[in-house]
Amino acid sequence: DAKTTQPTSMDCAEGRAANLPCNHSTISGNEYVYWYRQIHSQGPQYIIHGLKNNETNEMASLIITEDRKSSTLILPHATLRDTAVYYCIVRPGGGDAGNMLTFGGGTRLMVKP
Amino acid sequence: NAGVTQTPKFRVLKTGQSMTLLCAQDMNHEYMYWYRQDPGMGLRLIHYSVGEGTTAKGEVPDGYNVSRLKKQNFLLGLESAAPSQTSVYFCASSYLGSQPQHFGDGTRLSIL
C-alpha cells in the first residue's frame, strides 16, 4: 500500500480556511485517498475521500493533484471544534486489502481564536 | 440512530485475567473491525469480519480472538491479558469493504 507523509502539526486562525497537505507519491491507480480526523478521546471520524477528481461535501473539500502524488484537505471556515488530528490514508478501492485503514501519525491541527 | 456502540467504556484488569469487549452497530453493515491505538500512535487493525460468521486477521492479531455470531455484533476477546495490551480499542463498521468506516468512541483498557 502507498504510504503518506503529512506535517506533524499546523495552526489555523478561527474562521479562516485550513489547508492540510498530504504527499502520497507511490499511490497506485486503483488507490483512493481518504481523510479521517480524531478529536481528542473520540473515535476517528470519516471526512471525505476521492480517486482523482476533486471532491466536496458538507465538511470539507479534497483537492487531488493531476499526477495524484499529493492532495490537500480544505476546511473552508475552521472553528475551534475542528481542532483534531487529521489522517490522510491511501487504500485500495476493493478486495480484502481495502478493508485495512493504515493510520500514520497524522497532522495535529490547532484552531486558535 | 446509535451508530457504533462499544461496551464497556473503561476497564482495569489484572495480568492473566480474561475479558470480552462488545461492539454493536445498528446500520446493517456487513463489515466490522477492531483496532487498537497506543499513546501517540495511529490505529492498528487487530481483526476484522466481512460478514456474519466470518473473521480474519489484521495487522496485530496475536493475543486476541474475535467472533461474529450475529451481523450486528463483533466481540473481541482477551484470553489472558498482558500489560502490553493496555490500549484504547476502537470498533468500526462499514457497509462494504470499500466504503468509509464508522467508528465507536472506544474502550480504554488498562492491564496491571
Side-chain angles (χ1 to χ4, degrees):
Chain A
D1 291 348
K3 296 186 182 220
T4 62
T5 304
Q6 299 177 251
T8 303
S9 64
M10 294 180 63
D11 290 343
C12 178
E14 188 178 19
R16 303 295 296 269
N19 296 280
L20 291 86
C22 180
N23 287 321
H24 31 78
S25 58
T26 60
I27 192 170
S28 300
N30 70 337
E31 290 182 316
Y32 287 72
V33 179
Y34 278 76
W35 283 84
Y36 284 77
R37 72 180 182 183
Q38 188 172 23
I39 297 170
H40 181 63
S41 299
Q42 297 181 18
Q45 177 188 22
Y46 165 78
I47 302 173
I48 199 167
H49 74 283
L51 183 62
K52 54 184 178 181
N53 296 322
N54 298 337
E55 302 287 344
T56 296
N57 63 20
E58 64 278 4
M59 290 182 67
S61 295
L62 174 60
I63 308 299
I64 302 174
T65 58
E66 191 169 345
D67 63 7
R68 302 206 326 120
K69 292 185 177 182
S70 66
S71 60
T72 301
L73 177 74
I74 301 172
L75 307 178
H77 304 287
T79 71
L80 298 179
R81 289 175 294 180
D82 292 321
T83 292
V85 178
Y86 287 77
Y87 295 98
C88 170
I89 299 167
V90 171
R91 62 180 287 200
D96 274 0
N99 295 325
M100 184 180 296
L101 291 176
T102 302
F103 287 78
T107 296
R108 186 172 298 277
L109 175 68
M110 180 73 72
V111 180
K112 298 184 175 180
Chain B
N1 188 348
V4 178
T5 303
Q6 294 184 232
T7 54
K9 297 190 185 309
F10 304 92
R11 186 72 183 269
V12 178
L13 291 178
K14 294 181 179 179
T15 298
Q17 287 185 319
S18 64
M19 79 161 295
T20 300
L21 281 64
L22 172 64
C23 176
Q25 53 94 4
D26 62 1
M27 297 173 283
N28 201 34
H29 285 171
E30 290 292 334
Y31 288 64
M32 297 188 74
Y33 315 80
W34 275 107
Y35 293 86
R36 63 176 287 175
Q37 184 174 33
D38 298 320
M41 297 180 65
L43 281 70
R44 292 182 292 169
L45 183 65
I46 305 172
H47 287 279
Y48 65 97
S49 167
V50 301
E52 181 178 323
T54 73
T55 63
K57 294 181 180 180
E59 182 185 359
V60 289
D62 294 342
Y64 304 95
N65 57 76
V66 288
S67 64
R68 182 97 181 269
L69 299 180
K70 294 182 179 181
K71 185 177 183 179
Q72 64 268 33
N73 296 335
F74 195 28
L75 279 62
L76 178 70
L78 287 74
E79 291 186 349
S80 181
S84 61
Q85 294 177 306
T86 293
S87 190
V88 181
Y89 291 85
F90 289 100
C91 176
S93 70
S94 64
Y95 182 63
L96 295 173
S98 58
Q99 296 297 307
Q101 296 180 16
H102 298 262
F103 286 80
D105 282 335
T107 294
R108 284 150 184 80
L109 183 62
S110 293
I111 300 164
L112 307 177

